[in-house]
Amino acid sequence: MSHPVPTSGAAQLSSTGAPTSESAGILGVSRVVESPGKIDTGTGQPQWNSNSYYAPHEDTEVSDSPTRAASGSRNPAELLRRLSLVDGDRPSTPDVDPRAAYPALNLSGRIISATFCIPHSLGFRSGHEWEIKPRRGTSALFDSFQHLSKPDNPWDHTLVGWTGEIKPSEEMAGFPFPFRPDSSKGSSLNKLVAMPLNKASAPIPYDDAATAPAPQPQGEGIRVTKADRECLEQQLRRDKGGKIVPVWLMDPVEDEDGDILLKDQARWRRYAEHELYTLFHYKQHEPTDGRAERRWWADYCRMNQAFADRILEIYKPGDIVWIHDYHLLLLPSILRQRIPNIYVGFFLHVPFPSSEFLRCLSRRKEILTGVLGANMIGFQSFSYSRHFSSCCTRILGFDSVSSGVDAYGAHIAVDVFPIGIDAASIAKVAYGDRNIEAKIQRIHVQYAGQKIIVGRDRLDTVRGVAQKLMAFQMFLERHPEWRGKVVLIQVTSPTSVEEEKEDEGNKMANKISDLVSKINGLYGGLEYTPVFHFPQYLSRDEYFALLRIADVGLITSVRDGMNTTSLEYVVCQRDNHGPLILSEFSGTAGSLTSAIHINPWDLGGVAEAIHQALIMPEEEKSNQERKLYQHVATHTVQVWLKTYIARLLVNLASFNQSFATPVLDKALLLARYRKARKRLFMFDYDGTLTPIVKDPQAAIPTDRVIRTIKTLAQDKRNAVWIISGRDQAFLDEWMGHIPELGLSAEHGSFIRHPMTDDWENLTEKYDMGWQKEVMDIFQHYTERTQGSFIERKRIALTWHFRRSDPDFGAFQARECKKHLENAVAKKWDVEVMNGKANLEVRPSFVNKGEIAKRLVNAYGAGKGEPPEFVLCLGDDQTDEDMFRALRATKLPKENVFSVTVGASSKQTLASWHLLEPADVVSTVALLNGTVTAADVGMNVDGRL
């Protein structure tokens, strides 16, 4: 049961701890929530300032020059404070033209940013100009878009985003929470009854003079004509924040006039915000039959396709496409499929989970492969980037390191870019507005003699508001001396996530409300209320006044991407030096190292952190604030923007120039093949003719592989060999029935010439005593590495860890290799070789390079003459011996095609590359004439 607790001041509290209608605001006065922006009625043009979450204020006064701002400063801290108040809108020094810095990239100088929603909420009335208001949330991201669009920025910027849920203009005149007048007592500006949507909703004055529009039937939807769409696009083109191109997501409708029907607009959010957002924040749903998820997934794919279509309408060669957040994870791959050489960057603003959680997602592979279409992927913290690389290895099987992932023939860079805020703009507003100063004085009066702890979060389960309240309760229980001397002001703005909006029964809001009532009932009284809860948006003035006057900032998110409130708190505490208590699960924790880090699940630890923050000596608080402020002031959203783009350009330049192995020129290959009279082919097996699989015995050739190799070998002008690490029995079983085919087993230890069934042992006279020592070492590591096993061949010994944990298996392989090199290689003439998820020991004089030399010398148009055409293909380190041997021969370079299978970025001695085994088979089929040039992506004239 709730306990009403009156306060000592003018404000009266409801049973939830929120102010009643007589005291709708923090300052104890009724007020209407300020609109965060306004429309130029003369032009219909939207306006959003550099801090787009807050509205511009007309009476803000700041110094107009650094000299005037610095005059009268008494110390360096005061100088820094005054300089931050200088108008930040004056032109800065132009950046270097990226086209001049990276001429090889052929940049156009344009950036196309793709984000889920445009920075505006839209109101629609057919035949009229659109009503445009700033969209709340993601202010740091919107700030970066505006900075890109400034005249002194070297980039020409265009923003592509969904229109968001379009509402009739009449609804736009309302407020975030629906309210009605109390008809039983007469209508009043200060007497309201909340609709049952959320019992914790804050009171908002109701204008009974306004005529409420009749609700539009849900099944009817909103019909938008082509002329109306053109009108909006024209309005957005005049946006002062930069060019905006809207994406129209609609239900299929046949209309000759080009009208579109907007019906169930929230459907485009559902997969991203029900499935991805939930899982990325380490939450899971109860199992279902999957029907709804399949519908949501289809909408998610359609939405990403629509974004791709819209981007390609305005794309020009040399443009950079920068994609943001989890709603558009498929977009990089879709763009890459349509334009293979497109420059794409991706940045994820939310956490990325570990592989154990991502495995629970049914579409995990599609999500990962979708984002891997980007050239560079950015994350808020190192742990998120590490999780992503690990998922690519564990789920997709791609090689990855901390700096990136090798996938689909390219190196995708993975890096960390903690986002910042527009610190100068926030400091200018927070310290240069008379209204804020007045509100600060009024808050001082209202909470006189009490320490103020401030929390400001969205009403999401991941924000940890419930944990914060429970920890505060424990603090008051453990430290009774603080009762009556400290208050917690908690502001919870409405959630923007579809999953959280559909909270049945408002469980989260009700839980918070009950906790507030419980704390106030246990520790409050007529003259003291411990918790003031405001479930509403704050005006800009109130928000900054609250951050400036706070004695402690408390953020207890249980999983968060980048909490900008913590950064804004640091800026606003420049003079007050209030400590910041920050959850270690917040994305800002890694950046704000001087804050007091807490585990929100450890309620006792949070309670003690609150106590330590309240009793912290002034000198220590000052030192902490100085370090925090220095970081926030220097790592701004502008710096984040420039750093990301600069690193993207470096990666594009690095992996698109001399370091990349070119893709095999099939036209040139075909021309040389047709011209030659005697040709030599050398193929590796695993990873070249067949894909790598976890069970080596399962890597059997397909019918297409066998038919293609057999057709090639039956041409009398061709000498075809498979040079593999496999043993004789495997090669005999699967490839031995082709009599024209030559075979080499165990990396050249055995060979079987064409038209014979006998194997020749090239190591017959070699002492094999080393095998027992190697077996003992391999057995030692097999017992300690789950999933690993030993493959014993006649000559070589191989230790496989494909079935093991990728990270632990690789670690054990490194340890095992060191052991072998110290214990065996120093006594015996053997070589320890790293393969793909395996470790092999063999005699050092036996390798594929020796076989390649032997075959080159044996085959020619005449006795002693070299072959006129050589094609050698392999995928791993053992095949580099063949490439090295071919380089050492005196064969004309134009007649030798050494081809590695895999990423173009990997280090190799090969001259060309193909992406995967399927490309190898298609290329050989092209030489055989069993496929056409069009089948392998060549034009009619034979060129690629």
Side-chain angles (χ1 to χ4, degrees), residues 64-212:
D64 58 357
S65 71
T67 303
R68 185 176 301 179
S71 62
S73 58
R74 293 165 296 195
N75 51 54
E78 176 69 9
L79 175 62
L80 179 62
R81 186 186 73 81
R82 287 171 173 266
L83 286 175
S84 68
L85 299 181
V86 178
D87 187 353
D89 294 332
R90 59 179 66 252
S92 58
T93 304
D95 295 326
V96 177
D97 188 343
R99 288 171 291 187
Y102 298 94
L105 295 179
N106 295 317
L107 297 171
S108 65
R110 304 194 329 154
I111 289 181
I112 302 173
S113 294
T115 187
F116 179 55
C117 289
I118 63 175
H120 307 297
S121 297
L122 303 178
F124 170 69
R125 187 177 177 188
S126 185
H128 295 73
E129 283 203 331
W130 292 70
E131 187 173 355
I132 302 177
K133 294 184 178 181
R135 184 182 301 276
R136 294 183 182 272
T138 60
S139 58
L141 178 60
F142 293 159
D143 290 343
S144 70
F145 294 152
Q146 191 192 25
H147 181 73
L148 269 176
S149 302
K150 287 184 177 180
D152 60 337
N153 194 288
W155 298 99
D156 180 8
H157 180 248
T158 302
L159 174 63
V160 176
W162 178 40
T163 58
E165 289 88 344
I166 295 174
K167 300 179 180 179
S169 292
E170 294 84 356
E171 294 184 18
M172 292 286 286
F175 295 93
F177 298 101
F179 281 81
R180 66 185 178 194
D182 185 352
S183 57
S184 63
K185 298 181 181 180
S187 61
S188 170
L189 288 178
N190 293 326
K191 293 182 179 180
L192 306 171
V193 178
M195 295 291 281
L197 174 64
N198 184 345
K199 76 174 188 179
S201 297
I204 296 175
Y206 179 87
D207 185 0
D208 60 322
T211 303

Side-chain angles (χ1 to χ4, degrees), residues 347-367:
F347 189 83
L348 187 67
H349 293 260
V350 298
F352 195 89
S354 69
S355 60
E356 295 304 315
F357 259 82
L358 194 68
R359 282 175 175 173
C360 301
L361 187 68
S362 60
R363 300 288 182 174
R364 58 195 183 180
K365 290 187 177 180
E366 291 90 336
I367 292 298

Side-chain angles (χ1 to χ4, degrees), residues 666 704 922 926 929-939:
K666 297 183 180 68
R704 187 189 182 204
S922 297
L926 174 67
T930 56
V931 298
T932 65
D935 294 329
V936 292
M938 292 169 58
N939 296 326

Side-chain angles (χ1 to χ4, degrees), residues 582-760:
L582 182 62
S583 168
E584 64 187 44
F585 296 108
S586 171
T588 51
S591 302
L592 302 180
T593 55
S594 297
I596 302 174
H597 290 184
I598 49 94
N599 177 359
W601 300 102
D602 178 12
L603 302 182
V606 178
E608 290 307 311
I610 295 173
H611 177 65
Q612 292 300 320
L614 291 172
I615 65 172
M616 184 180 293
E618 186 60 38
E619 183 178 355
E620 184 177 351
K621 290 195 296 184
S622 178
N623 288 335
Q624 284 193 6
E625 169 62 20
R626 177 178 53 80
K627 294 176 182 177
L628 291 171
Y629 188 86
Q630 182 180 12
H631 175 85
V632 175
T634 55
H635 294 76
T636 62
V637 68
Q638 294 89 344
V639 172
W640 169 78
L641 175 78
K642 292 180 180 179
T643 302
Y644 184 95
I645 295 176
R647 213 165 295 173
L648 174 62
L649 293 175
V650 169
N651 280 288
L652 289 173
S654 299
F655 293 103
N656 283 276
Q657 295 182 21
S658 59
F659 296 105
T661 305
V663 66
L664 178 62
D665 188 336
K666 297 183 180 68
L668 178 62
L669 179 76
L670 183 60
R672 295 290 180 186
Y673 174 82
R674 289 172 175 173
K675 185 178 179 180
R677 294 172 297 165
K678 190 66 174 177
R679 312 154 183 146
L680 173 62
F681 294 84
M682 294 178 282
F683 298 94
D684 175 41
Y685 184 79
D686 290 287
T688 301
L689 293 176
T690 62
I692 297 292
V693 294
K694 288 190 174 182
D695 183 1
Q697 297 305 315
I700 59 177
T702 63
D703 289 341
R704 187 189 182 204
V705 169
I706 293 174
R707 289 196 308 269
T708 302
I709 293 297
K710 186 174 182 177
T711 302
L712 186 71
Q714 286 175 341
D715 189 326
K716 295 182 179 180
R717 292 170 293 180
N718 298 341
V720 183
W721 282 76
I722 293 180
I723 305 174
S724 173
R726 295 283 187 166
D727 59 21
Q728 301 156 265
F730 183 92
L731 293 179
D732 267 334
E733 179 180 2
W734 295 107
M735 308 300 291
H737 62 283
I738 305 176
E740 300 87 358
L741 183 62
L743 301 174
S744 174
E746 300 192 28
H747 301 292
S749 298
F750 300 90
I751 60 172
R752 197 198 80 169
H753 291 277
M755 311 306 294
T756 69
D757 295 328
D758 299 327
W759 287 87
E760 179 182 354

Side-chain angles (χ1 to χ4, degrees), residues 398-637:
F398 293 137
D399 293 334
S400 67
V401 291
S402 59
S403 61
V405 180
D406 288 328
Y408 306 116
H411 177 83
I412 297 92
V414 176
D415 217 329
V416 180
F417 306 90
I419 198 170
I421 58 176
D422 190 347
S425 175
I426 290 175
K428 182 176 71 173
V429 173
Y431 286 91
D433 191 330
R434 295 196 196 98
N435 288 347
I436 294 177
E437 299 293 340
K439 290 182 185 293
I440 289 175
Q441 295 303 317
R442 295 166 72 179
I443 296 176
H444 269 304
V445 172
Q446 183 171 349
Y447 300 100
Q450 294 176 327
K451 295 285 189 180
I452 299 176
I453 301 174
V454 169
R456 185 261 194 176
D457 308 273
R458 287 201 183 107
L459 193 61
D460 298 345
T461 54
V462 299
R463 304 298 174 178
V465 179
Q467 285 85 344
K468 182 186 303 184
L469 292 171
M470 289 187 285
F472 185 68
Q473 177 184 340
M474 186 173 292
F475 162 74
L476 293 176
E477 176 186 342
R478 291 185 176 183
H479 299 279
E481 69 274 14
W482 282 107
R483 298 174 191 172
K485 299 178 181 179
V486 63
V487 295
L488 170 62
I489 299 177
Q490 175 63 43
V491 180
T492 51
S493 57
T495 181
S496 60
V497 179
E498 187 73 14
E499 164 74 9
E500 303 283 355
K501 290 179 182 177
E502 298 182 3
D503 178 15
E504 294 183 6
N506 298 308
K507 294 179 182 178
M508 186 64 192
N510 292 343
K511 181 177 182 179
I512 293 173
S513 177
D514 291 342
L515 284 170
V516 171
S517 299
K518 180 181 179 181
I519 297 171
N520 289 340
L522 286 174
Y523 303 108
L526 294 176
E527 298 183 354
Y528 172 59
T529 302
V531 180
F532 291 84
H533 180 218
F534 299 91
Q536 65 187 79
Y537 286 112
L538 290 183
S539 70
R540 182 204 66 179
D541 295 347
E542 285 183 337
Y543 177 66
F544 284 130
L546 196 60
L547 291 187
R548 283 187 56 185
I549 201 172
D551 295 291
V552 176
L554 183 56
I555 297 173
T556 55
S557 51
V558 295
R559 189 67 60 178
D560 205 355
M562 184 57 64
N563 191 301
T564 55
T565 300
S566 61
L567 305 177
E568 291 161 348
Y569 176 81
V570 170
V571 173
C572 292
Q573 285 291 313
R574 190 184 57 200
D575 297 334
N576 200 37
H577 303 162
L580 172 64
I581 300 176
L582 182 62
S583 168
E584 64 187 44
F585 296 108
S586 171
T588 51
S591 302
L592 302 180
T593 55
S594 297
I596 302 174
H597 290 184
I598 49 94
N599 177 359
W601 300 102
D602 178 12
L603 302 182
V606 178
E608 290 307 311
I610 295 173
H611 177 65
Q612 292 300 320
L614 291 172
I615 65 172
M616 184 180 293
E618 186 60 38
E619 183 178 355
E620 184 177 351
K621 290 195 296 184
S622 178
N623 288 335
Q624 284 193 6
E625 169 62 20
R626 177 178 53 80
K627 294 176 182 177
L628 291 171
Y629 188 86
Q630 182 180 12
H631 175 85
V632 175
T634 55
H635 294 76
T636 62
V637 68

